[in-house]
Amino acid sequence: MSGATRSLPVLLLQNTVSVFLAVIAVRANPAMGLELYLDLLSQPCRAVFIFAKKNGIPFQLRTVHILKGQNCSKEFLQINSLQKVPVLKDGDFILTESSAILIYLSCKYQVADHWYPSDLQTRSQIQEYLGWHADNIRSIFGVTLWIRVLAPLIGIQVPEEKVNRNRTYMDHALQQLESKFLGDKPFLVGQQVSLADLMLLEELIQPVAVGYDVFVGRPRLAAWRGRIEAFLDTELWQEAHGPIFNILEQMAKKTLPVPPPETQKNMLFRISKIP
């Protein structure tokens, strides 16, 4: 028997031991593994949370309570100097922006192809939607939460004309969404759910959670939502959306945390930008 043949079992044993030791090291020091810094009141954070959970991606959840000002802490500033969530930390690698995080997770963990398809044209359609999403969905549909909850929390009343204007913007964006991107398809880019669908759904859920149902009178959009919810299991849906769907009740019971001065300053700036 040659030396090369005799060494094969040894090599296999060494590889097994190396993997075993790596697993022990990660469990002993969770910081070595994937960490996600999230606040589930945030639409992009929920998208990242749902994606990781649905695909069985192991991660350490680092909850960052924005209303408590935890994003302004010295510790978090070392993670993201922009004071925003979500943030992904993978060893020494740090990534911000939800779409970038979702793409990174899709590629690293080789999730099912429908999330971020390998086909160039389909992948480009996802990128096309995400570009439109940033200007036409992300900047508009979160405003209802500010109007109904966050502004009153710090004693601010958003003028009625801004409320009405925001609803007009939402209606216009939804018309464009249905005509340009959804059409008669079951999902935004074809026959299966993708990153684009998840990003969109979480934005549209935000006004729904605080009493303005954008799906009413839009049967195609409502059917699209139903297909995504059916794809996600009930337990995951409830886990991800519990905080946002309970926020009006917390507001009524006055159990929401009072934001610290630095956070209130940031909130006032955000409220001033509502068109």
Side-chain angles (χ1 to χ4, degrees):
M1 184 179 293
S2 69
T5 304
R6 286 197 303 270
S7 66
L8 181 58
V10 175
L11 290 174
L12 291 173
L13 178 61
Q14 288 175 338
N15 288 338
T16 302
V17 171
S18 297
V19 171
F20 179 71
L21 291 175
V23 170
I24 291 177
V26 170
R27 289 179 176 176
N29 183 10
M32 292 178 63
L34 180 67
E35 300 171 77
L36 296 176
Y37 292 77
L38 309 173
D39 183 338
L40 294 182
L41 291 179
S42 156
Q43 310 94 296
C45 286
R46 291 197 302 270
V48 170
F49 179 84
I50 290 170
F51 180 83
K53 285 275 190 174
K54 181 64 179 177
N55 287 288
I57 297 172
F59 67 93
Q60 293 288 323
L61 175 61
R62 308 297 190 196
T63 300
V64 181
H65 293 287
I66 302 297
L67 288 181
K68 295 179 181 180
Q70 292 178 352
N71 59 312
C72 300
S73 68
K74 291 181 179 179
E75 293 78 13
F76 187 74
L77 286 174
Q78 294 177 356
I79 302 295
N80 186 6
S81 60
L82 299 179
Q83 303 179 350
K84 294 182 179 182
V85 287
V87 179
L88 173 149
K89 188 172 187 293
D90 193 3
D92 294 330
F93 177 68
I94 294 176
L95 190 63
T96 64
E97 300 301 329
S98 53
S99 56
I101 291 171
L102 290 171
I103 291 170
Y104 177 85
L105 293 175
S106 296
C107 296
K108 175 168 181 175
Y109 291 95
Q110 298 181 338
V111 300
D113 189 68
H114 63 82
W115 286 109
Y116 191 57
S118 55
D119 175 74
L120 176 61
Q121 293 185 353
T122 309
R123 180 171 288 194
S124 296
Q125 287 178 318
I126 291 178
Q127 296 288 4
E128 177 190 26
Y129 171 76
L130 291 176
W132 182 84
H133 174 99
D135 290 332
N136 297 277
I137 298 293
R138 180 78 185 107
S139 61
I140 295 172
F141 284 79
V143 171
T144 308
L145 177 66
W146 286 89
I147 292 169
R148 294 291 307 277
V149 177
L150 301 180
L153 184 62
I154 58 173
I156 302 296
Q157 185 72 33
V158 176
E160 192 65 24
E161 60 265 26
K162 290 194 172 188
V163 175
N164 293 332
R165 192 179 300 130
N166 178 250
R167 292 186 176 183
T168 299
Y169 289 161
M170 284 194 285
D171 288 341
H172 180 64
L174 290 173
Q175 289 171 10
Q176 290 186 326
L177 171 71
E178 289 193 284
S179 63
K180 163 65 177 172
F181 294 101
L182 184 58
D184 295 323
K185 303 189 300 295
F187 299 100
L188 289 178
V189 295
Q191 300 301 310
Q192 292 181 285
V193 65
S194 71
L195 300 182
D197 295 287
L198 193 53
M199 291 283 285
L200 172 61
L201 179 63
E202 288 313 310
E203 292 295 336
L204 302 192
I205 287 296
Q206 202 79 341
V208 172
V210 291
Y212 186 68
D213 194 339
V214 299
F215 295 96
V216 171
R218 295 186 174 89
R220 281 190 299 170
L221 202 60
W224 165 84
R225 173 189 174 180
R227 286 188 286 271
I228 299 177
E229 288 190 29
F231 176 76
L232 303 173
D233 63 80
T234 302
E235 184 178 348
L236 174 56
W237 179 264
Q238 293 175 345
E239 183 181 8
H241 297 94
I244 191 63
F245 277 112
N246 289 330
I247 199 166
L248 285 183
E249 181 180 353
Q250 288 183 279
M251 185 73 176
K253 292 181 177 180
K254 302 185 184 302
T255 56
L256 286 174
V258 177
E262 181 64 25
T263 299
Q264 291 198 30
K265 178 181 176 182
N266 294 338
M267 292 171 70
L268 285 169
F269 177 71
R270 174 64 182 86
I271 292 167
S272 72
K273 293 174 65 179
I274 296 175

